[in-house]
Amino acid sequence: LVWPSSGPAGTSINVTGTALADSTAPVGSTLFNLLLTVGNAKCSSMRLVRADGGLQTVECILSNGEAGNRYVNALTSAGSAWTKTSTTSRPTSLPDASLAAPSTSTQATFRIVSTLMSLSVINGSVAGGQRMIIMGTGFSHLTDKIAVYFANVRALVVQSNPTQVECIVPPVSTSAVQDKTVQIIVQTNGQSATPKLSFYYLKSLTPQIASISPSSDIQEGTVLTVVGERLGTVGQVRVLINSSSPLPRGCGNEVECNVLTVNSTHVQCRAPARPAGSYSVILSVQGQGHAFVSQ
């Protein structure tokens, strides 16, 4: 028996079973020869809180583990040998065997819940483009187990670990520049983290491109002129020539256009060598994100 049945890292949980502690251990004693795991998360500060009719209840603090329904394992030691207790109905090894299905349907389970704590950036351009680090618990180090949504728009996850997810802020609009607030949803193994955090797309932080010239017959060394609004200042601006790669823009599939001059309405850069073809120009301002291209 495990109570409560779910919670995030830091939750105090009670595990009831037999042979969790020596029969002579007094209630209230700290248990050094017991190893409790919930999935790949270990419990710490284990203390015997009840002993009644052969059943013992141990209280412990859950460490950070990957979100999802996880089996609870208990191992006791005598010297260097570890022995399974009645809370484990099959042979096990640590730390990850408890993620596998048990041999019977009686094994106790606990649902680890992921949490959101903070965002490295909370506002930016409506065209997206900023790299955001999401801090929390219960994430996975495997990016294919993580999904991040800005409202209903999925973001590209660059990398992740149990406490951080790095993603690229997606654009919120391709047709208009206007303020919009969205909730960020982070899912690990299909389970959404709580509480929801907000990101603010702001017109005031959105660079806008009105024109780029020349637009054709560009060769290596050609000076491109970008005209628009809120185009940043020297040291803040990058201009990238996007390739035909299917990766989202701003994710390493571009070539730098060497910036020559910058002011709030004009940016000039020298075009790099590229094979013949059609390319998009990405202007990015540090701390704001990508420029919105007026249609």
Side-chain angles (χ1 to χ4, degrees):
L1 177 66
V2 179
W3 185 88
S5 60
S6 65
T11 298
S12 175
I13 65 175
N14 287 271
V15 179
T16 299
T18 60
L20 296 176
D22 189 276
S23 59
T24 62
V27 171
S29 60
T30 300
L31 305 178
F32 296 102
N33 295 327
L34 175 66
L35 183 59
L36 282 174
T37 60
V38 179
N40 60 358
K42 291 183 179 180
C43 270
S44 62
S45 304
M46 287 171 290
R47 186 170 63 93
L48 183 64
V49 294
R50 185 176 181 181
D52 183 15
L55 291 177
Q56 297 169 319
T57 299
V58 174
E59 180 184 63
C60 66
I61 304 300
L62 181 67
S63 65
N64 191 22
E66 189 175 307
N69 293 314
R70 301 294 179 230
Y71 295 107
V72 179
N73 284 323
L75 298 176
T76 57
S77 70
S80 60
W82 289 92
T83 305
K84 61 182 179 179
T85 74
S86 63
T87 60
T88 305
S89 57
R90 58 189 169 79
T92 185
S93 61
L94 292 174
D96 294 323
S98 52
L99 297 174
S103 58
T104 76
S105 61
T106 60
Q107 176 142 8
T109 61
F110 182 90
R111 184 169 64 88
I112 299 177
V113 177
S114 57
T115 63
L116 300 184
M117 294 180 176
S118 61
L119 308 174
S120 63
V121 293
I122 62 170
N123 51 40
S125 168
V126 301
Q130 292 192 85
R131 286 185 177 249
M132 171 189 285
I133 297 177
I134 303 168
M135 277 71 77
T137 65
F139 305 143
S140 173
H141 67 281
L142 299 175
T143 57
D144 59 358
K145 292 186 176 184
I146 304 290
V148 178
Y149 295 90
F150 286 63
N152 61 348
V153 180
R154 187 163 183 169
L156 174 70
V157 175
V158 178
Q159 59 184 354
S160 63
N161 62 48
T163 60
Q164 293 184 353
V165 174
E166 183 178 353
C167 67
I168 306 295
V169 177
V172 70
S173 174
T174 58
S175 60
V177 177
Q178 57 189 13
D179 294 350
K180 187 172 184 179
T181 301
V182 300
Q183 285 193 326
I184 294 176
I185 301 167
V186 180
Q187 295 180 340
T188 304
N189 296 315
Q191 298 193 22
S192 296
T194 58
K196 299 292 190 303
L197 299 178
S198 295
F199 183 82
Y200 304 91
Y201 289 97
L202 300 177
K203 179 178 180 179
S204 62
L205 292 179
T206 302
Q208 294 189 59
I209 295 176
S211 65
I212 301 172
S213 61
S215 61
S216 61
D217 298 325
I218 298 169
Q219 301 176 4
E220 181 180 3
T222 299
V223 175
L224 300 182
T225 300
V226 180
V227 178
E229 302 176 42
R230 294 183 287 276
L231 299 183
T233 59
V234 175
Q236 289 185 316
V237 178
R238 295 181 70 199
V239 180
L240 305 171
I241 308 300
N242 195 40
S243 75
S244 57
S245 166
L247 290 174
R249 63 181 188 170
C251 300
N253 53 314
E254 307 90 7
V255 176
E256 198 93 21
C257 185
N258 184 36
V259 173
L260 303 174
T261 62
V262 177
N263 62 47
S264 63
T265 60
H266 290 74
V267 173
Q268 288 188 318
C269 67
R270 194 176 302 281
R274 301 298 286 157
S278 179
Y279 296 88
S280 61
V281 175
I282 304 166
L283 186 145
S284 182
V285 179
Q286 182 179 349
Q288 297 176 219
H290 292 328
F292 180 90
V293 180
S294 300
Q295 302 299 318

